[in-house]
Coordinates of all heavy atoms in Angstrom, one line a residue:
N1 N 7.7 38.4 -9.1 CA 7.6 37.0 -8.8 C 6.9 36.3 -9.9 O 5.8 36.7 -10.4 CB 6.9 36.9 -7.5 CG 6.6 35.4 -7.0 OD1 5.6 34.8 -7.4 ND2 7.6 34.9 -6.3
L2 N 7.4 35.2 -10.3 CA 6.8 34.3 -11.3 C 6.0 33.2 -10.7 O 6.5 32.5 -9.9 CB 7.9 33.7 -12.2 CG 7.3 32.8 -13.4 CD1 6.4 33.6 -14.3 CD2 8.4 32.1 -14.2
N3 N 4.7 33.2 -11.1 CA 3.8 32.2 -10.5 C 4.0 30.8 -11.1 O 3.7 30.6 -12.3 CB 2.3 32.7 -10.7 CG 1.3 31.8 -10.1 OD1 1.4 30.5 -10.1 ND2 0.3 32.4 -9.5
C4 N 4.4 29.8 -10.3 CA 4.5 28.5 -10.8 C 3.7 27.6 -9.9 O 4.1 26.4 -9.6 CB 5.9 28.0 -10.9 SG 7.0 28.9 -12.0
G5 N 2.6 28.1 -9.3 CA 1.9 27.4 -8.3 C 0.4 27.4 -8.5 O -0.3 26.6 -7.8
C6 N -0.2 28.3 -9.2 CA -1.7 28.4 -9.3 C -2.2 27.2 -10.1 O -1.8 27.0 -11.2 CB -2.1 29.7 -10.0 SG -3.9 29.9 -10.1
P7 N -3.3 26.5 -9.6 CA -3.8 25.3 -10.3 C -5.1 25.6 -11.1 O -5.7 24.6 -11.5 CB -4.1 24.4 -9.0 CG -4.6 25.4 -8.0 CD -3.8 26.7 -8.2
S8 N -5.5 26.8 -11.3 CA -6.8 27.0 -11.9 C -6.8 26.6 -13.4 O -5.8 26.6 -14.0 CB -7.2 28.5 -11.8 OG -6.6 29.3 -12.8
D9 N -8.0 26.2 -13.9 CA -8.1 25.8 -15.3 C -7.7 26.9 -16.2 O -7.1 26.6 -17.2 CB -9.5 25.4 -15.6 CG -10.0 24.1 -14.8 OD1 -9.1 23.3 -14.4 OD2 -11.2 23.9 -14.7
R10 N -8.0 28.1 -15.9 CA -7.7 29.2 -16.8 C -6.2 29.4 -16.9 O -5.7 29.7 -18.0 CB -8.4 30.5 -16.2 CG -8.2 31.7 -17.0 CD -9.0 32.9 -16.5 NE -8.6 33.3 -15.2 CZ -7.5 34.2 -15.0 NH1 -6.8 34.7 -16.0 NH2 -7.2 34.5 -13.7
V11 N -5.5 29.2 -15.8 CA -4.1 29.3 -15.8 C -3.5 28.2 -16.6 O -2.5 28.4 -17.4 CB -3.5 29.4 -14.4 CG1 -2.0 29.2 -14.4 CG2 -3.9 30.7 -13.7
Q12 N -4.0 27.0 -16.4 CA -3.5 25.8 -17.1 C -3.6 26.0 -18.6 O -2.7 25.6 -19.4 CB -4.2 24.5 -16.7 CG -3.9 24.0 -15.3 CD -4.7 22.8 -15.0 OE1 -4.6 21.8 -15.7 NE2 -5.4 22.8 -13.9
S13 N -4.8 26.5 -19.0 CA -5.0 26.7 -20.5 C -4.0 27.7 -21.1 O -3.7 27.6 -22.3 CB -6.4 27.2 -20.7 OG -6.6 28.5 -20.2
G14 N -3.5 28.5 -20.3 CA -2.4 29.5 -20.8 C -1.0 28.9 -20.6 O -0.1 29.6 -20.8
S15 N -0.9 27.7 -20.1 CA 0.3 27.0 -19.9 C 1.3 27.7 -18.9 O 2.5 27.9 -19.2 CB 1.1 26.8 -21.3 OG 0.3 26.0 -22.2
F16 N 0.7 28.3 -17.9 CA 1.5 28.8 -16.8 C 0.8 28.5 -15.5 O -0.1 27.7 -15.4 CB 1.7 30.3 -17.0 CG 0.5 31.2 -17.1 CD1 0.0 31.8 -15.9 CD2 -0.1 31.4 -18.3 CE1 -1.1 32.6 -16.0 CE2 -1.3 32.2 -18.3 CZ -1.7 32.8 -17.2
G17 N 1.4 29.0 -14.4 CA 1.0 28.5 -13.1 C 1.6 27.2 -12.7 O 2.8 26.9 -13.1
A18 N 0.9 26.3 -12.0 CA 1.4 25.1 -11.5 C 1.9 24.2 -12.5 O 2.9 23.4 -12.3 CB 0.4 24.4 -10.5
I19 N 1.3 24.2 -13.7 CA 1.7 23.3 -14.8 C 3.2 23.5 -15.2 O 3.8 22.6 -15.7 CB 0.8 23.4 -16.0 CG1 0.8 22.2 -16.8 CG2 1.1 24.7 -16.8 CD1 -0.3 22.1 -17.9
L20 N 3.7 24.7 -14.8 CA 5.2 24.9 -15.1 C 6.1 24.1 -14.3 O 7.3 24.0 -14.6 CB 5.5 26.4 -14.9 CG 4.9 27.4 -16.0 CD1 5.2 28.8 -15.6 CD2 5.5 27.1 -17.4
M21 N 5.6 23.5 -13.2 CA 6.4 22.5 -12.5 C 6.9 21.4 -13.4 O 7.9 20.7 -13.1 CB 5.6 22.0 -11.3 CG 5.3 23.0 -10.2 SD 6.7 23.8 -9.4 CE 7.5 22.4 -8.7
E22 N 6.1 21.1 -14.5 CA 6.5 20.1 -15.4 C 7.6 20.5 -16.4 O 8.1 19.7 -17.2 CB 5.3 19.6 -16.2 CG 4.2 19.0 -15.2 CD 3.0 18.5 -16.0 OE1 2.8 19.0 -17.2 OE2 2.2 17.7 -15.5
S23 N 7.9 21.8 -16.4 CA 8.8 22.4 -17.4 C 9.8 23.4 -16.8 O 9.8 24.6 -17.1 CB 8.0 23.2 -18.5 OG 6.9 22.4 -19.0
P24 N 10.7 22.8 -16.0 CA 11.7 23.7 -15.3 C 12.6 24.4 -16.3 O 13.0 25.6 -16.0 CB 12.5 22.7 -14.4 CG 12.2 21.4 -15.0 CD 10.9 21.4 -15.6

């Protein structure tokens, strides 16, 4: 499963998690 939902700062800095909602 690919995580496109986690909102943590650490995840954002790696350009994955919830921020991927901006990059389908």
Side-chain angles (χ1 to χ4, degrees):
N1 177 269
L2 180 62
N3 183 319
C4 298
C6 181
S8 78
D9 293 340
R10 182 171 64 86
V11 168
Q12 289 180 56
S13 66
S15 298
F16 58 94
I19 203 167
L20 286 175
M21 295 299 298
E22 297 178 342
S23 307

